[in-house]
Amino acid sequence: MSIDDFDATNSKYRINIYGNWLDGDVLEVSLSKRGFEFIKLSSLQCTVFKILNVTLLSLLSDGEANYVNTTFLTLNTSSPINGLAIGEITLTNKTTSSRTITVSSVNNDPLQYRIGISGTWNEGDVVEISVQKLGYNISLNPTATLHWATPIVITSVDVDGEEGEEPSTTLTLVTDHAVEGLSASDLTLTKIDAADDSNVILGDIQAEYETYTFPLSGNWTEGDVYQITVRKFGYQITGMPQITLHNKNVTITSVTQVGGAIGTLTTQSLSIQLTSTIDGLAKECISVSDITTPAAAINVNSITITDTLVNVNISGSWNNSDNCTVVITRRGYVITSPEQPTTIYRDITTHYNVVSVTPDGSAGTTTTTKLTLQLNTGGTVFPIVMSEVVVTNQATDETITVTGVSSQASLGSGLFEYEIFIQCSWTDGTEANVALVKEGYTFENNNRTVTLSTSISAYKKLEANGASGETLTTKLTLDILHNETWALLPADIQLVLTSTAPEASITVNSVSDPTISQHDSEYWDQYEIGITGKWYNGDLVTLAIVKVGCQITGDISTYLFTPFVTINGVVANGEHLTTSLTVTLDKDVGTLTNQNIFLTCNGHPEIIITIGDVTGPTGDGTSGYVYQVNITGNWTKGTVVNIVIDVAGYTFNPYTDEIVLN
């Protein structure tokens, strides 16, 4: 800083200065002159000022023509204007003086000032800015174009429907003021949370005051979220609400072909199982595609709906064992198809016609042994083997054995006859199903029902050998009315024993060939049946023949015999301690063991007697047959016990004398 000039007038001095300083800098003045002393009575400091040149470069407005109102202006300057205040800014509506614009706020970002405005203006009004500020020389007055649209607030948006149950069909929009001419094209729906293939289409608007409804269509999934933006010329519409769309979720849980079989039967329909019903479902909603042979057509002819089960009748040109997929589309539903395709079939077999199946035999008299089958092959020689004939008892679903098939015999006119031999395993009057089964062939009028016969006989007499109380029964003699003669095996005889003997049993060991005898006008077949087992004299046995194919009426039984045995005496040894019993029988029953003899002490379950070795018999029968029975136990002197002896083939008379142990 330098002194440019010095002017002294009446002890006042004007000092002209030049140099570099900043606006607001503080200067301090000091004086010195030879021969003078200067006394400072007050501060010789002063503030210096500097005028800055600033150019207003541009003025920009926010907002968007006819859609978004201007709320602030942006002023760009060549240099900062420190401390710019509202009162230093003037805004002038250059379009008309009848609409005034005022400054409501200003920030002080260097070189770029955001100026909030208020007032009234129309779309396209031009505003001019001027700035006056002490210390600044501000040049140029830039302009900007203001924007205006009628303010509208979206107060609510809603869609109908119920999560996973009822699809959304209508969108309802409510604003705080009416929007004239609002249409579906003014609304934009933006995916927030939705799949790429999700889409929503708005239908024609229905307006009532500030409420607007739009029908919905498209393809979306339950829970898809969209954001709604409304943009209308001349309106500033604020609010971007979100909507969550609803759909009825339906899953195809299974698709099953009906009526087809691999290579032999053509699929007639598809049975489609849904998780819930689909209102208004029609055949036009269902498409079936052949994914194995894409060029093959599959037509949906008709559908039948039973609750959640849909049967789809189809026709077309698919090949045997092609795979197909099913797609169902219906507005308002999200329908998920199964991942796995369904296999459909076509009949590619040769067709022959089963003309008849006739059994031989006579009801109740003669057993069926063969079936005569007539087959029309059109003249083609067609051998049949046993495994290709299936005969099934309709009542039991059991397979009847085929034992042979004769060679075909030509009857002319393309007709052949076969004899099918079968093994009897039925009762008279049994209905059986006869079917031919051969890969690559379809037999029309197959599965024939025939009635099979057996001869019916009757039990006539059953006798047991032996003598009551004297000799053991070893065989049974059975007489059956002669009709058909059967070769019986032990397994064909069932015996049921009614006995009180411990561990009673009876077993068939042998069956003789039958002999025929005449009784008045009847002929009987007689069998001798060898038996063993364990029973008491006079026990009842009931007999039944259970051979497959034998049908015998009536019930038959007889009594069995064993020798009676008497216990002549039982003597306990020992004066102080009994260690054995001497048992005398009137018959020799062979070797006895501790499993044949039982000792009990009535009324004293705490007394336990153990039977050891049993020896004998001794003696020649004159005084009986003697057995020695060794015993141990916890009895006391004078204990009274009872004895029971049980031997297969013998019935022992009860022994009532007391046996006293020492």
Side-chain angles (χ1 to χ4, degrees):
M1 183 181 297
S2 303
I3 297 175
D4 183 47
D5 193 9
F6 188 83
D7 180 19
T9 304
N10 299 323
S11 300
K12 294 182 179 179
Y13 301 89
R14 179 186 179 93
I15 303 171
N16 295 321
I17 61 176
Y18 67 92
N20 286 322
W21 64 85
L22 296 177
D23 187 50
D25 282 356
V26 177
L27 302 182
E28 184 173 347
V29 179
S30 61
L31 301 176
S32 66
K33 185 175 178 62
R34 182 178 293 178
F36 290 88
E37 179 182 1
F38 295 94
I39 300 171
K40 186 187 296 185
L41 298 178
S42 61
S43 173
L44 294 181
Q45 292 181 345
C46 65
T47 301
V48 294
F49 303 97
K50 186 174 184 178
I51 302 245
L52 298 179
N53 292 318
V54 176
T55 300
L56 305 183
L57 299 177
S58 64
L59 185 66
L60 303 174
S61 65
D62 70 336
E64 182 182 358
N66 299 299
Y67 288 103
V68 181
N69 296 336
T70 299
T71 58
F72 64 87
L73 303 172
T74 300
L75 175 64
N76 296 300
T77 64
S78 60
S79 301
I81 304 174
N82 295 329
L84 183 61
I86 293 175
E88 296 167 338
I89 302 170
T90 300
L91 298 176
T92 303
N93 191 329
K94 301 298 289 184
T95 302
T96 176
S97 60
S98 64
R99 296 187 287 272
T100 59
I101 305 162
T102 59
V103 177
S104 59
S105 64
V106 63
N107 72 348
N108 274 280
D109 292 339
L111 305 181
Q112 190 175 68
Y113 299 89
R114 183 183 174 102
I115 301 168
I117 63 173
S118 60
T120 58
W121 61 86
N122 289 343
E123 171 62 40
D125 281 3
V126 176
V127 63
E128 180 184 75
I129 189 169
S130 61
V131 178
Q132 292 183 340
K133 185 168 180 64
L134 183 65
Y136 292 85
N137 179 27
I138 301 173
S139 61
L140 297 185
N141 299 313
T143 61
T145 300
L146 301 179
H147 304 298
W148 177 262
T150 303
I152 297 292
V153 176
I154 299 174
T155 58
S156 68
V157 173
D158 190 25
V159 291
D160 63 350
E162 183 179 352
E163 180 179 350
E165 297 295 334
E166 293 297 333
S168 298
T169 59
T170 304
L171 181 148
T172 302
L173 174 74
V174 180
T175 59
D176 61 344
H177 296 91
V179 180
E180 185 177 351
L182 186 67
S183 68
S185 62
D186 298 322
L187 276 69
T188 300
L189 276 70
T190 305
K191 296 174 187 175
I192 300 299
D193 184 9
D196 291 341
D197 59 351
S198 177
N199 68 84
V200 180
I201 301 171
L202 298 177
D204 294 337
I205 190 173
Q206 293 183 349
E208 184 175 355
Y209 302 106
E210 293 84 24
T211 300
Y212 308 90
T213 57
F214 303 85
L216 298 176
S217 62
N219 176 40
W220 62 84
T221 301
E222 169 61 43
D224 280 2
V225 178
Y226 280 76
Q227 185 178 72
I228 296 179
T229 304
V230 183
R231 182 177 172 86
K232 177 69 177 173
F233 187 89
Y235 292 89
Q236 176 178 277
I237 303 175
T238 57
M240 291 189 295
Q242 294 182 358
I243 57 171
T244 299
L245 295 170
H246 301 298
N247 233 329
K248 188 169 185 178
N249 298 326
V250 177
T251 299
I252 302 174
T253 57
S254 66
V255 179
T256 307
Q257 74 85 27
V258 178
I262 183 167
T264 59
L265 295 172
T266 299
T267 298
Q268 301 300 309
S269 62
L270 298 175
S271 179
I272 302 173
Q273 182 63 60
L274 307 174
T275 54
S276 59
T277 58
I278 301 175
D279 294 335
L281 182 62
K283 71 175 186 177
E284 291 77 16
C285 304
I286 302 174
S287 62
V288 184
S289 302
D290 190 326
I291 62 174
T292 306
T293 311
I298 302 179
N299 306 311
V300 176
N301 301 321
S302 61
I303 65 172
T304 303
I305 303 173
T306 305
D307 195 22
T308 58
L309 187 66
V310 182
N311 190 74
V312 181
N313 181 268
I314 60 172
S315 62
S317 57
W318 64 86
N319 297 320
N320 181 52
S321 297
D322 276 2
N323 288 327
C324 70
T325 57
V326 174
V327 175
I328 301 178
T329 56
R330 175 68 178 152
R331 181 177 177 270
Y333 294 83
V334 175
I335 304 169
T336 304
S337 297
E339 295 182 1
Q340 297 299 321
T342 301
T343 302
I344 52 180
Y345 305 107
R346 184 167 295 281
D347 182 2
I348 56 174
T349 62
T350 301
H351 286 239
Y352 291 155
N353 182 45
V354 177
V355 176
S356 64
V357 179
T358 306
D360 69 346
S362 176
T365 303
T366 309
T367 299
T368 300
T369 59
K370 69 178 180 179
L371 308 170
T372 300
L373 182 144
Q374 292 186 354
L375 181 68
N376 192 332
T377 68
T380 301
V381 175
F382 183 72
I384 297 176
V385 299
M386 290 188 297
S387 61
E388 295 167 352
V389 183
V390 179
V391 184
T392 307
N393 187 321
Q394 291 184 353
T396 64
D397 204 32
E398 294 177 347
T399 300
I400 296 171
T401 302
V402 176
T403 58
V405 180
S406 70
S407 299
Q408 68 271 16
S410 177
L411 302 179
S413 301
L415 195 63
F416 289 90
E417 185 173 85
Y418 307 80
E419 289 184 341
I420 301 167
F421 299 96
I422 56 177
Q423 180 177 320
C424 182
S425 59
W426 57 85
T427 57
D428 190 64
T430 292
E431 290 190 334
N433 184 77
V434 182
L436 296 180
V437 178
K438 188 179 179 88
E439 186 174 354
Y441 294 85
T442 296
F443 299 97
E444 306 291 347
N445 299 308
N446 208 7
N447 296 305
R448 292 300 188 101
T449 298
V450 296
T451 301
L452 305 179
S453 303
T454 60
S455 62
I456 301 176
S457 188
Y459 294 114
K460 302 305 291 186
K461 186 169 64 173
L462 180 65
E463 290 183 342
N465 73 336
S468 177
E470 295 297 330
T471 56
L472 177 67
T473 298
T474 58
K475 71 177 181 179
L476 302 174
T477 300
L478 172 66
D479 289 295
I480 303 172
L481 179 66
H482 176 76
N483 199 338
E484 279 191 52
T485 299
W486 300 294
L488 299 179
L489 299 174
D492 299 326
I493 307 295
Q494 182 184 72
L495 299 177
V496 178
L497 183 63
T498 303
S499 176
T500 59
E503 301 179 356
S505 65
I506 188 167
T507 303
V508 176
N509 294 323
S510 62
V511 183
S512 70
D513 292 332
T515 59
I516 301 176
S517 60
Q518 185 174 0
H519 299 264
D520 296 328
S521 61
E522 295 182 339
Y523 288 89
W524 295 1
D525 288 329
Q526 187 175 86
Y527 299 84
E528 290 192 350
I529 303 167
I531 61 172
T532 58
K534 181 181 178 182
W535 57 83
Y536 284 163
N537 187 70
D539 282 352
L540 183 70
V541 63
T542 301
L543 181 145
I545 294 178
V546 292
K547 182 180 179 66
V548 174
C550 295
Q551 191 168 350
I552 307 174
T553 61
D555 298 311
I556 197 163
S557 60
T558 191
Y559 294 99
L560 303 177
F561 307 121
T562 68
F564 284 125
V565 179
T566 299
I567 302 173
N568 292 336
V570 179
V571 178
N573 75 336
E575 182 179 351
H576 302 288
L577 175 64
T578 298
T579 59
S580 69
L581 300 175
T582 300
V583 180
T584 304
L585 306 180
D586 70 341
K587 290 184 178 66
D588 181 358
V589 297
T591 301
L592 297 181
T593 70
N594 56 8
Q595 300 300 310
N596 302 116
I597 301 174
F598 305 91
L599 296 174
T600 59
C601 184
N602 292 339
H604 296 280
E606 74 280 3
I607 296 177
I608 299 174
I609 302 173
T610 302
I611 298 174
D613 294 336
V614 180
T615 61
T618 61
D620 57 5
T622 303
S623 301
Y625 297 87
V626 179
Y627 295 83
Q628 296 295 324
V629 181
N630 296 323
I631 61 173
T632 59
N634 62 346
W635 64 83
T636 59
K637 185 177 179 65
T639 297
V640 177
V641 297
N642 300 315
I643 188 169
V644 173
I645 301 177
D646 182 57
V647 179
Y650 296 91
T651 301
F652 283 77
N653 294 317
Y655 185 71
T656 58
D657 291 350
E658 289 186 349
I659 304 169
V660 180
L661 303 181
N662 296 317

